[in-house]
Amino acid sequence: MKYQSVLDEAFEAMENAYAPYSNYHVGACVLCKDGTTFKGANIENASYGAANCGERSAIFAAYSNGYRKNDIEAIAIVTDGDRIGAPCGICRQVLSELLDQDAPIILSNGKETVTKTIRELLPMQFSGEDLK
Ligand code: ZN
């Protein structure tokens, strides 16, 4: 598979998940076009609303290091759950702004892998265009 190494890094990141409350572990890895990767994991908090999802951790890391939408090739998001971990609504909104509409979003739980785009995952997007 073309993005196997990115998936592997996402599974490595999942090992760093801090999920003492849900015990639901998520890892993610952003692959930039220059080959740089940024990993992220879900980080929970006793104040539940303060938690951050794995895919947001990864893409925020990429942006924090100066990379932008046009620099990003793909993102892999993995979980150890029984089902593939489809991004939550907040993450879909974030990815719709920070990721190219056609960038591959590779989702896997180690047993099943599917590739989607944010265009597919979040139709009728609310964006900055709506604020003008
Ligand atoms: Zn999320």
Side-chain angles (χ1 to χ4, degrees):
M1 185 210 184
K2 183 178 179 188
Y3 293 112
Q4 187 60 52
S5 65
V6 189
L7 266 177
D8 291 345
E9 284 198 57
F11 277 108
E12 286 173 24
M14 187 180 74
E15 300 299 318
N16 296 324
Y18 175 73
Y21 307 104
S22 71
N23 202 36
Y24 184 75
H25 305 100
V26 177
C29 182
V30 169
L31 171 66
C32 298
K33 291 175 182 170
D34 69 0
T36 305
T37 56
F38 293 95
K39 292 188 226 177
N42 57 325
I43 309 294
E44 295 182 346
N45 194 281
S47 176
Y48 290 179
N52 202 51
C53 299
E55 53 271 58
R56 275 185 288 143
S57 295
I59 201 157
F60 289 168
Y63 269 68
S64 295
N65 282 278
Y67 289 83
R68 292 294 180 264
K69 179 188 295 195
N70 291 336
D71 304 313
I72 295 172
E73 181 171 336
I75 183 171
I77 306 165
V78 305
T79 179
D80 55 3
D82 291 336
R83 301 192 315 168
I84 283 177
C88 78
I90 293 173
C91 286
R92 289 178 200 218
Q93 178 64 33
V94 167
L95 293 175
S96 77
E97 179 153 340
L98 303 186
L99 196 63
D100 185 89
Q101 290 290 308
D102 296 311
I105 301 172
I106 305 128
L107 307 169
S108 180
N109 65 350
K111 294 172 249 172
E112 185 185 358
T113 300
V114 297
T115 301
K116 300 285 187 186
T117 65
I118 195 60
R119 191 193 305 279
E120 295 171 309
L121 293 176
L122 188 63
M124 259 184 99
Q125 298 172 7
F126 176 79
S127 75
E129 295 296 311
D130 296 302
L131 301 176
K132 293 182 176 140

